Amino acid sequence: MLQTPSGGAGHGTAATDSGLMSIGAVLSALRGEFPEVTISKIRFLESEGLIEPQRTPSGYRKFSAHDVERLGHVLRMQRDHYLPLKVIREHLEAMERGEAVQLPVVGRQRGGASVPEPPEGPSAARIGRDELLAAVGVEKRELKEWESYGLLTPLEDGAYDAEAVTLALLVVELGRFGIEPRHLRAMKAAAEREAGLVDQVVAPLRRHRNPQTRAHAEARTKELAGLTVKLHAALVQSALGVRLP
């Protein structure tokens, strides 16, 4: 049985008399565990067939408690296991048929704890090419194209760091909207410039002999990275004239 994302479908919001919830109410219910979820994300998961909310005669979405539970499960599998939507869909269908299924594991669980993995599976910090292809659900030619544009870069031994799964899944999702890898070169270049700016600020601290100062450099890097990401998002929203929830 699927677990509700925050202790129950109606947790933190009011349901209608029929027990159905609006998309805004669902967003409020999910935000406790998934602060980054947006209405656009919920609509996207619906378009991918992962949920099927009811519609009012006026066309408004109405979500049942089962829809909210299913959404929470989908978001949890993306966050904790880095699974592509195709694998998540198959997993949920198997669960609803009453089959005993085990999630494939990639990378780390939330909180940084290493997860048990099959003997031939990827390590917690690295993932092989075949494992990456399987986790994301793409062919070798697509991965090769991403590499040609610098979107993903293998390590010296041909493996990838765990973050490659997240990057690849984002490239796939953008592709569903017609945004091709070649279109993402500008974003890659912008990210490298932003990273260079952060590195320029913390480089003197990293070179310091004092271990505490070097540790402070790591903390400062994370802080600056977070601020840079927020600024980038705000600038994109401002340029588009939109405001995300």
Side-chain angles (χ1 to χ4, degrees):
M1 181 176 179
L2 304 182
Q3 295 179 346
T4 54
S6 301
H11 179 74
T13 187
T16 63
D17 293 339
S18 63
L20 300 177
M21 304 168 65
S22 68
I23 193 168
V26 172
L27 183 68
S28 298
L30 293 170
R31 277 263 172 95
E33 183 177 352
F34 310 100
E36 302 301 324
V37 70
T38 63
I39 286 178
S40 296
K41 176 72 172 182
I42 296 174
R43 289 172 176 165
F44 172 71
L45 294 175
E46 177 191 358
S47 72
E48 292 296 308
L50 288 160
I51 51 170
E52 296 182 3
Q54 299 180 35
R55 294 274 187 161
T56 67
S58 301
Y60 292 104
R61 296 171 177 83
K62 290 296 180 180
F63 297 79
S64 66
H66 176 71
D67 292 327
V68 180
E69 290 178 358
R70 191 176 173 96
L71 271 171
H73 206 63
V74 170
L75 294 170
R76 203 171 290 113
M77 284 191 284
Q78 284 189 311
R79 179 196 65 195
D80 297 348
H81 300 276
Y82 303 100
L83 296 178
L85 296 181
K86 178 182 177 181
V87 175
I88 293 174
R89 186 185 300 108
E90 293 172 351
H91 176 78
L92 292 176
E93 290 172 354
M95 288 184 65
E96 293 185 343
R97 291 193 299 267
E99 299 176 8
V101 291
Q102 183 175 0
L103 282 173
V105 174
V106 177
R108 295 177 179 267
Q109 286 182 334
R110 189 172 59 135
S114 297
V115 292
E117 297 168 345
E120 298 300 324
S123 66
R126 302 159 69 84
I127 180 171
R129 178 177 290 266
D130 290 340
E131 288 83 3
L132 176 61
L133 292 171
V136 182
V138 298
E139 301 293 332
K140 290 182 179 180
R141 58 178 178 78
E142 294 175 273
L143 179 57
K144 186 175 181 180
E145 181 184 12
W146 299 348
E147 291 176 351
S148 71
Y149 291 119
L151 301 176
L152 277 83
T153 304
L155 303 172
E156 291 183 2
D157 61 359
Y160 300 82
D161 59 35
E163 188 64 24
V165 178
T166 302
L167 289 172
L169 289 174
L170 288 171
V171 172
V172 169
E173 290 203 24
L174 287 169
R176 300 182 195 278
F177 293 89
I179 300 178
E180 300 178 9
R182 59 188 175 88
H183 299 144
L184 303 177
R185 287 181 294 182
M187 297 178 67
K188 169 70 173 177
E192 289 176 345
R193 288 194 297 269
E194 292 165 6
L197 179 60
V198 172
D199 188 65
Q200 183 178 353
V201 172
V202 299
L205 297 176
R206 285 177 174 165
R207 292 194 296 265
H208 205 279
R209 293 182 178 180
N210 190 322
Q212 291 183 341
T213 302
R214 293 198 299 271
H216 178 64
E218 183 68 20
R220 181 61 58 86
T221 299
K222 292 180 180 180
E223 181 181 5
L224 286 172
L227 291 172
T228 301
V229 169
K230 289 180 180 179
L231 175 60
H232 183 90
L235 289 172
V236 171
Q237 292 181 57
S238 178
L240 292 173
V242 298
R243 183 177 180 82
L244 298 179

